Amino acid sequence: MKTITVNVNVLNKNDEIANRVKADLTTKGIRLINLLGTPGSGKTTLLEKVLADEKIDKTKVAVIEGDLYTAMDAKRMEEIGIRTIQLNTEGACHLEADMIENAIAELDLEGVNTIIIDNIGNLVCTAEFSLGEHIRIGVASVTEGNDKPLKYPLLFQTADIVLINKIDLQPYTNFDVARF
């Protein structure tokens, strides 16, 4: 068998843009949060419930919605008064830093101190791409099973925070928090 050694990180350009995004937002006093998880893990519902809280100053938050084809989640954010921009990848399984940079350029950032990326539902590709985030939050639900950290370790290794969602359904599943 022949082995080919690749000496160039194919994500170098993405990482350069991500570093630029992070530096620019840091200078402006804006934190970027990347919310990752599978389709159906409850990322958007969690975001919707947190941001709908009357204690949240909605003028200080913006959301970048990542989706393959629809704007359904962006509409949910707009309905609760959050300034939102939609990113549709038209089939691509992840967002890249240049997409985020372009989306931020389109957002009115007046008064914003937090931008949240509601990333495309995926545990593989999304974890590989830095988007310039200051905080990476992984969302997993008990209905997905407790094997996800073993099957998809990169997301769980790179997340600053991991939330176990739908915990109220645990009695109806075989989900083991300790094993997770």
Side-chain angles (χ1 to χ4, degrees), residues 107-128:
L107 276 168
D108 172 12
L109 296 178
E110 181 66 36
V112 169
N113 65 16
T114 305
I115 300 171
I116 303 168
I117 302 165
D118 188 356
N119 211 322
I120 293 172
N122 183 326
L123 290 180
V124 181
C125 303
T126 57
E128 293 177 354

Side-chain angles (χ1 to χ4, degrees), residues 1-88:
M1 170 173 43
K2 184 174 184 176
T3 302
I4 299 172
T5 304
V6 178
N7 293 322
V8 177
N9 179 351
V10 295
L11 297 177
N12 277 349
K13 182 173 178 159
N14 183 82
D15 291 346
E16 288 172 15
I17 297 169
N19 290 336
R20 184 171 65 226
V21 166
K22 186 174 188 175
D24 185 46
L25 292 177
T26 300
T27 299
K28 294 176 180 173
I30 300 172
R31 88 181 132 239
L32 182 62
I33 299 170
N34 188 0
L35 193 61
L36 305 106
T38 62
S41 63
K43 298 179 305 295
T44 305
T45 300
L46 177 68
L47 189 56
E48 183 179 41
K49 296 298 182 190
V50 168
L51 295 178
D53 188 301
E54 60 189 42
K55 296 175 194 145
I56 299 290
D57 184 348
K58 292 166 185 51
T59 64
K60 295 183 181 280
V61 180
V63 170
I64 298 171
E65 278 292 344
D67 199 347
L68 298 177
Y69 297 103
T70 75
M72 295 181 342
D73 294 343
K75 288 177 184 166
R76 288 169 62 185
M77 293 300 113
E78 288 177 342
E79 286 173 4
I80 60 170
I82 302 297
R83 76 183 90 175
T84 306
I85 191 161
Q86 180 67 52
L87 287 179
N88 288 112

Side-chain angles (χ1 to χ4, degrees), residues 33-37 122-124 126-130 133-140 148-149 152-164 180:
I33 299 170
N34 188 0
L35 193 61
L36 305 106
N122 183 326
L123 290 180
V124 181
T126 57
E128 293 177 354
F129 287 83
S130 173
E133 66 267 26
H134 296 91
I135 300 170
R136 182 177 274 211
I137 301 174
V139 179
K148 296 305 174 267
Y152 308 100
L154 185 60
L155 173 70
F156 298 95
Q157 292 167 351
T158 61
D160 299 296
I161 300 166
V162 174
L163 298 173
I164 300 175
F180 178 86

